[in-house]
Amino acid sequence: MRDVLLIAVYAFLGAAAAGLLGALALRLLRNRSVTASLAVVAAVAVSAMLAGTLAVAWEMFLSSHDLKVVTLVIAMAAAVSLATALVLGRRVVSSSRQLALATRSFGDGGDFAAPEGPATAELAALSRELAATSAKLSASRERERALETSRRELVAWISHDLRTPLAGLRAMAEALEDGMAKDPERYFRQIRTEVERLNGMVGDLFELSRIHAGALALNPARMSVHDLVGDALAGADPLAREHGVRLVGDRVEPVPVEVDGKEMTRVLANLLVNAIRHTPADGTVAVAAEARAESVVLSVTDGCGGIPDDDLTRVFDTGWRGTEARTPPGGAGLGLAIVRGIVEAHAGSAAVHNVHGGCRFELVLPAART
């Protein structure tokens, strides 16, 4: 038992010395190729075996012949180990270089394409993650381009929409100042109308800026969808009467939601005004609400005749006004963008799709907690 313990101690000391030298070599080569590190690991394994064997041989006084045989066997093992480590290292380095070249492509604005050929499990996993990252970057670039296009369109449209009423206000003010207005009261009423219109546009811009900046402060409270829709219908009724449009809200379930009443009233008002303005006289605008699983779906259906398929994906974009038939008088294309922003701030979603004779806007909101 004592001899076995001594052999174990001598073998450990010899292997430990080789291991320390290997650790020092790995530290010095930590910034070099993985091929060098694999060669050092293989050399350490063989050297540790050789050092332990020599330490035991010297202490056990093995014959020189036996020592040569053991040394020769270990040397052959070392040669094979080093060759295997070099081949594996070169393979890993080659795969890494191909992956680096492929990564550079989507870093420059392209799409990532995984290099062909076999790769280690780690490099294959890295390729999959890079492919997923590339797809996300591509989608982000597309969104950024779409947002930039929307911003440019918004600036152009806002500039146009502001220029027209401002020019009218200046002309009316000059006419009143020069005493050329035959009916000053009518001019005053028109000025008030234009000012309210400008005030509404500025309010929409301010609301949209808060949404985009993430500064929209919500004060959610538990309320019934029936009450929410009822208030919105009452507010839109005068406009509907003016346009000869029927408002229908008999398919509203009294389900509870937890929302900011003021902001959601604005959402429904925007949708109803949009629907009324694009529904012909004697048409119908229907509001419905129902519970689905863990959500509540609010919908507004109009008789606008439908939206072109190419425009369906842009309806909620900032500044979108679509075809001439759907462009509200003096509108800046902010109402539906505000609708989506407020609904998403409530952890919901907004969508639109065509139905027979018109389109339906759907708002999906989380159901109130029981």
Side-chain angles (χ1 to χ4, degrees), residues 96-175:
S96 299
R97 287 175 179 171
Q98 292 178 4
L99 187 59
L101 291 175
T103 304
R104 188 179 304 165
S105 65
F106 85 88
D108 294 335
D111 294 326
F112 175 79
E116 299 180 356
T120 62
E122 291 78 10
L123 290 179
L126 180 58
S127 295
R128 290 192 295 270
E129 290 297 326
L130 288 173
T133 301
S134 175
K136 292 178 181 178
L137 285 175
S138 296
S140 177
R141 284 192 291 264
E142 289 297 327
R143 286 195 300 270
E144 185 64 26
R145 281 193 287 266
L147 286 174
E148 184 61 28
T149 300
S150 296
R151 291 189 188 101
R152 288 196 297 266
E153 292 176 350
L154 176 62
V155 171
W157 287 333
I158 286 293
S159 300
H160 176 271
D161 289 343
L162 288 176
R163 187 181 297 114
T164 301
L166 287 175
L169 288 172
R170 183 174 62 181
M172 287 185 287
E174 290 175 352

Side-chain angles (χ1 to χ4, degrees), residues 174-323:
E174 290 175 352
L176 289 170
E177 185 179 11
D178 296 338
M180 300 297 294
K182 296 181 179 179
D183 187 0
E185 293 298 327
R186 183 175 66 84
Y187 276 63
F188 289 139
R189 289 193 299 270
Q190 186 64 27
I191 289 175
R192 179 180 178 84
T193 300
E194 294 296 337
V195 169
E196 289 178 351
R197 175 183 166 195
L198 290 173
N199 184 65
M201 292 173 61
V202 173
D204 286 345
L205 284 171
F206 179 69
E207 182 80 358
L208 196 62
S209 67
R210 288 198 304 161
I211 292 172
H212 286 172
L216 183 63
L218 299 177
N219 298 304
R222 188 184 180 90
M223 62 183 62
S224 172
V225 172
H226 190 276
D227 296 336
L228 191 65
V229 172
D231 293 341
L233 290 175
D237 186 64
L239 181 64
R241 291 179 180 274
E242 179 183 346
H243 286 75
V245 175
R246 293 186 299 275
L247 290 180
V248 178
D250 54 2
R251 293 179 52 200
V252 179
E253 298 180 6
V255 292
V257 289
E258 193 167 339
V259 296
D260 186 311
K262 178 181 177 182
E263 297 296 341
M264 284 307 302
T265 298
R266 179 168 192 166
V267 165
L268 289 176
N270 283 358
L271 290 180
L272 286 172
V273 169
N274 182 72
I276 292 169
R277 283 177 172 169
H278 299 108
T279 298
D282 294 331
T284 300
V285 172
V287 183
E290 60 178 330
R292 295 183 189 171
E294 297 181 355
S295 62
V296 177
V297 180
L298 282 165
S299 65
V300 177
T301 306
D302 59 33
C304 67
I307 301 174
D309 292 338
D310 293 339
D311 288 339
L312 280 175
T313 57
R314 296 197 58 201
V315 167
F316 293 100
D317 289 350
T318 301
W320 181 87
R321 295 201 274 188
T323 61

Side-chain angles (χ1 to χ4, degrees), residues 34-36 38-44 46 74-92:
V34 69
T35 303
L38 288 175
V40 170
V41 171
V44 167
V46 176
I74 294 177
M76 294 300 100
V80 174
S81 299
L82 288 174
T84 304
L86 290 175
V87 171
L88 178 60
R90 290 178 65 84
R91 178 184 171 187
V92 172

Side-chain angles (χ1 to χ4, degrees), residues 50-65:
L50 179 60
T53 302
L54 291 177
V56 172
W58 285 334
E59 291 300 326
M60 299 298 293
F61 301 105
L62 294 180
S63 65
S64 59
H65 177 269

